[in-house]
Amino acid sequence: MAGQEISKDESLSRKGYRHACHIMIYADTDAKLFGKIPIKHIVLMQMRFDGLLGFPGGFVKPAEESLEAGLSRELWEEMGDGNVRVPLYCLKRGRGLSAFLSNSFISNARSQLIAALRVLGLLTQDELDAAVAKAEMMRKTTAH
Ligand SMILES: O=c1[nH]cnc2c1ncn2[C@H]1C[C@H](O)[C@@H](COP(=O)(O)OP(=O)(O)O)O1
């Protein structure tokens, strides 16, 4: 069912599905954009072959390998390809995180990113709400 979160065990017990693992790699930083805007955290995503943004990873084979081994194999194949740093700051006219969130993402990668930023405490709920609201406005004004 769309939008429903299930446990790892339940997902593995369901028949007839393929399984994919993706990872969000991030680190804290003291670096500043233009020497003045704190970057705070470096969060990596990827610009995929199909022009959509997503996390590094891919399909795994739980019958043949652990999820970690499958994810590791995918990372060896993919890392370095199309790495994109997620801007967590907000600049004038919505540039930064809002502009980033107004891009197109694969599957539920956009909501995974927003949830991860909240759960890991990299941004506050208020900061996320403001960025998401601005991104929605930007998407509407650029939609055809
Ligand atoms: O970042 C993601 N978050 C959630 N689902 C994703 C993400 N990236 C891809 N996907 C979905 C789309 C596909 O159905 C599968 C596997 O995609 P992909 O990463 O392209 O895997 P392969 O390289 O083809 O193994 O997961």
Side-chain angles (χ1 to χ4, degrees):
M1 191 186 300
Q4 187 192 10
E5 233 176 84
I6 58 173
S7 71
K8 183 170 85 173
D9 286 346
E10 190 182 344
S11 120
L12 289 173
S13 71
R14 289 192 182 180
K15 304 287 173 222
Y17 290 91
R18 296 182 76 188
H19 298 274
C21 291
H22 296 87
I23 189 169
M24 188 179 98
I25 298 172
Y26 74 100
D28 298 336
T29 179
D30 292 331
K32 293 189 175 169
L33 183 70
F34 310 134
K36 58 179 181 181
I37 300 166
I39 291 173
K40 296 184 194 165
H41 314 283
I42 293 171
V43 174
L44 286 189
M45 292 192 79
Q46 281 185 331
M47 175 57 76
R48 295 160 43 91
F49 67 94
D50 51 12
L52 301 176
L53 288 160
F55 292 102
F59 284 118
V60 296
K61 304 165 194 144
E64 298 171 22
E65 60 189 357
S66 67
L67 299 184
E68 292 78 5
L71 177 59
S72 184
R73 175 177 50 70
E74 284 290 336
L75 292 180
W76 272 111
E77 287 168 17
E78 282 187 4
M79 279 311 287
D81 293 345
N83 283 344
V84 169
R85 176 161 56 81
V86 179
L88 299 187
Y89 41 79
C90 293
L91 302 177
K92 283 184 191 155
R93 292 189 291 279
R95 298 211 175 131
L97 182 59
S98 298
F100 187 82
L101 292 175
S102 70
N103 284 303
S104 298
F105 291 75
I106 183 77
S107 185
N108 63 342
R110 184 175 185 270
S111 52
Q112 286 177 324
L113 171 65
I114 293 167
L117 294 175
R118 177 174 45 76
V119 169
L120 294 168
L122 303 190
L123 290 180
T124 66
Q125 187 67 55
D126 285 351
E127 289 170 325
L128 284 167
D129 288 346
V132 167
K134 181 83 186 166
E136 288 310 314
M137 279 172 50
M138 294 171 91
R139 282 160 79 104
K140 277 185 195 146
T141 53
T142 55
H144 298 287

